[in-house]
Amino acid sequence: MVTNTKTNIYKATHKTRQPLNHEIRDQVIPILSHLLADTSDLYFQVKEAHWNVKGENFIALHKLFDDVADDITEYIDEIAERIAQLGGQVHGTLQHASRSSRLPTYPESITTGHDHVDAVSKALAQFSDNARQGIDDTDEFGDPVTADMLTNITGGIDKWLWFIESHNL
Ligand SMILES: [Fe+2]
């Protein structure tokens, strides 16, 4: 039998009294693991904007990007801890995020508020889309608690997308 290490690292391998059955947990953990990578990537994309933005809206955008980043740290922790609750190994390193993130590549030489708003908006929108897929899938697999957590996170991201993209609309 061929072992696929890429998918096996996302199985529910740790002992737990968690009542959700093993099969469901094995389906939910990979979804959360990919979203954890997306969320970690998103955090540093938003910090990249916080650190590099220049121009007439500097202080407003600099502070706004940091508020977004603060919320994202909470989401990283919630998603990682849900993986642990389900008996999964948490893959939370930046190295893992770099290999697994599904977000667009952040442009590394932009400076204007307009360009950072555009880049962060794209990242937030892609994240929201991925998380929404996660809500549908985890609900369908039979884990409404994870679906509910992802619904709350997506609501927060959608709010920040509105705050950010409104600068360029
Ligand atoms: Fe800062």
Side-chain angles (χ1 to χ4, degrees), residues 47 50-51 62 66:
K47 289 299 275 193
H50 166 75
W51 291 321
H62 176 72
D66 223 20

Side-chain angles (χ1 to χ4, degrees), residues 18-159:
Q18 166 63 238
L20 204 60
N21 84 46
H22 203 278
E23 260 177 26
I24 295 174
R25 291 187 283 119
D26 274 349
Q27 288 173 305
V28 169
I29 289 167
I31 293 168
L32 289 173
S33 299
H34 283 105
L35 281 171
L36 178 60
D38 293 343
T39 317
S40 298
D41 187 14
L42 184 64
Y43 173 79
F44 277 104
Q45 292 205 13
V46 174
K47 289 299 275 193
E48 179 90 357
H50 166 75
W51 291 321
N52 284 302
V53 69
K54 300 185 191 311
E56 59 185 25
N57 285 328
F58 166 74
I59 199 65
L61 285 172
H62 176 72
K63 286 180 174 172
L64 178 56
F65 289 138
D66 223 20
D67 288 343
V68 178
D70 281 349
D71 272 8
I72 293 170
T73 59
E74 301 284 329
Y75 304 153
I76 290 170
D77 210 42
E78 282 180 48
I79 293 169
E81 290 181 0
R82 185 65 186 159
I83 293 169
Q85 288 160 29
L86 298 179
Q89 179 77 15
V90 180
H91 298 279
T93 64
L94 281 183
Q95 292 171 348
H96 178 268
S98 166
R99 290 193 301 271
S100 304
S101 171
R102 299 162 296 180
L103 299 190
T105 303
Y106 201 87
E108 291 187 45
S109 55
I110 57 174
T111 56
T112 67
H114 184 280
D115 287 352
H116 280 294
V117 161
D118 205 40
V120 170
S121 297
K122 278 183 191 153
L124 290 168
Q126 183 63 58
F127 181 87
S128 179
D129 201 30
N130 296 349
R132 223 168 283 269
Q133 188 63 53
I135 295 165
D136 289 348
D137 291 345
T138 55
D139 199 36
E140 199 174 304
F141 291 146
D143 182 3
V145 177
T146 294
D148 186 54
M149 179 193 78
L150 293 177
T151 302
N152 287 330
I153 290 172
T154 307
I157 291 292
D158 284 355
K159 182 197 75 174

